[in-house]
Amino acid sequence: MLALTLAIEYADKGIRVNAVAPGVTKTPMHAVEIHDYLAQLHPIGRMGEAQDIVDAIVYLETAQFVTGEALHVDGGQNAGQW
């Protein structure tokens, strides 16, 4: 909601505001021994990689007409959770 509110507030100044909401991603934060379990939490069947997050940020940087969005990069984990 913050990205949406700030996007509306600053749009007339040419400032875009978006957010990236990552799912469980392979980082040192998660022990390798539980990666198989964590992968099952994503409908896509794998954990995210750092490059998945980078790709989302690059997209938002190049999509000049996108503002006020929260881009879920979570392998579908958030899909249907309204």
Side-chain angles (χ1 to χ4, degrees), residues 16 19 23 46 49 54 62 67 71:
R16 296 179 306 114
R46 68 173 179 86
E49 301 281 347
V54 171
T62 59
T67 191
L71 182 57

Side-chain angles (χ1 to χ4, degrees), residues 3-57:
L4 180 61
T5 302
L6 290 173
I8 292 167
E9 180 73 23
Y10 291 103
D12 64 344
K13 296 170 180 57
I15 299 171
R16 296 179 306 114
V17 181
N18 295 294
V20 174
V24 180
T25 305
K26 285 185 187 175
T27 66
M29 179 159 93
H30 303 292
V32 174
E33 298 80 27
I34 64 169
H35 282 191
D36 288 339
Y37 167 75
L38 293 173
Q40 295 173 23
L41 300 176
H42 297 82
I44 205 165
R46 68 173 179 86
M47 289 177 67
E49 301 281 347
Q51 189 62 49
D52 296 320
I53 309 305
V54 171
D55 292 344
I57 293 168

Side-chain angles (χ1 to χ4, degrees), residues 41 43 72 74 76-82:
L41 300 176
H72 296 274
D74 63 3
Q77 200 172 22
N78 188 62
Q81 300 297 316
W82 292 84

